[in-house]
Amino acid sequence: MPYKREEVSWNGEDIAFARKLMEALPNRLVRVIALPSPDDEVYESNVLVVLKEIRPEDFELVSRVASEVGERVNPLLAGEEERDALELFMAHGGRDVGK
């Protein structure tokens, strides 16, 4: 019997995460890309945060925002020049959120 995976809804956590990041990083946030379901993963993450430049303090800030919106957001940070991460997230059904 073949296994068919059920897609789990984000229930707005992905959008809330993106909006909070827009407030926290208004001049450096380029995109927030979420996979179709919080159960999906690329590089053990389900949301890609693309920044113009990544600073050391950004990792803590993004992790804090993720924990504020729920337990299911597992972000990966990437600079806008890191096309491989962007392409992988998009190839796995990623979509821009929070715009």
Side-chain angles (χ1 to χ4, degrees):
M1 188 166 172
Y3 172 74
K4 184 171 190 297
R5 185 169 172 200
E6 298 275 333
E7 247 186 52
V8 177
S9 172
W10 276 102
N11 292 329
E13 286 179 46
D14 55 341
I15 295 169
F17 176 67
R19 288 185 178 153
K20 284 184 176 246
L21 284 181
M22 283 184 233
E23 293 172 8
L25 300 163
N27 298 320
R28 292 189 298 123
L29 184 65
V30 177
R31 296 172 82 172
V32 177
I33 300 170
L35 294 176
S37 166
D39 289 344
D40 296 333
E41 292 184 340
V42 173
Y43 297 134
E44 299 180 9
S45 297
N46 54 18
V47 178
L48 180 66
V49 177
V50 182
L51 300 175
K52 288 182 183 176
E53 72 172 290
I54 298 175
R55 299 177 186 161
E57 63 270 16
D58 294 336
F59 294 96
E60 182 180 340
L61 182 135
V62 170
S63 293
R64 187 177 69 246
V65 170
S67 68
E68 288 173 3
V69 299
E71 299 175 1
R72 301 185 307 164
V73 176
N74 188 13
L76 173 69
L77 268 68
E80 60 185 336
E81 72 283 353
E82 296 179 59
R83 303 291 308 163
D84 57 337
L86 177 63
E87 289 171 6
L88 272 171
F89 267 76
M90 298 308 283
H92 284 83
R95 70 195 187 323
D96 285 291
V97 293
K99 291 188 176 192

